[in-house]
Each structure stands twice: as C-alpha cells, then as structure tokens.
Amino acid sequence: MEQDYAEAVRWYQKAANRGDAWGLGQCALGNCYENGYGVEKNVKEAAHWYRKAAEQGNVEAREALRELGVK
C-alpha cells in the first residue's frame, strides 16, 4: 500500500485538535512537522505539537522535545 503522508497529516490534525487521549495524534503530527512528512518541515510547529502531547503524559513526545533541544 502506498503511503499518503498528506492524508495521514489530515487525520492526525483531526485527532490532535480534539486533544486525543495521551497525545498520540499530537505526537504523530509533531513527527510529521519535524521530518516534513506530508507538510513543509517546521521545527517550531513540531515542538508545538510535541509539547501538547507531552503535557498529556506522552513520553515519546517528551523525548522528541529533548532531542530537538526544546523545553
């Protein structure tokens, strides 16, 4: 199956805007922005979504923020 990152971003955005439990959509959206998957690469936007996920206890998002050098 072919990967459609733009479509994935659309679904992650919907989940992220709903404040999905545990920040899973938010973390995935942060990853897309960090790496330019389906969207233009934007570290500031990635940090925004990682931070929202981290606030919900998502450990992966906390690690991603640390690796970005963002608090």
Side-chain angles (χ1 to χ4, degrees):
M1 187 162 125
E2 185 177 323
Q3 290 182 333
D4 184 347
Y5 289 115
E7 182 68 11
V9 166
R10 188 171 81 78
W11 286 102
Y12 292 150
Q13 187 73 57
K14 285 183 178 205
N17 287 338
R18 288 189 186 125
D20 66 297
W22 305 103
L24 298 175
Q26 294 164 340
C27 189
L29 190 55
N31 184 53
C32 289
Y33 277 105
E34 179 183 1
N35 295 292
Y37 298 143
V39 292
E40 187 172 328
K41 189 173 181 175
N42 184 328
V43 175
K44 184 176 179 181
E45 191 68 14
H48 167 78
W49 290 109
Y50 284 144
R51 194 171 291 111
K52 285 190 159 291
E55 288 170 358
Q56 293 186 63
N58 187 302
V59 177
E60 184 179 330
R62 288 183 189 150
E63 179 63 21
L65 285 169
R66 188 187 66 73
E67 289 177 8
L68 287 177
V70 178
K71 293 185 179 188

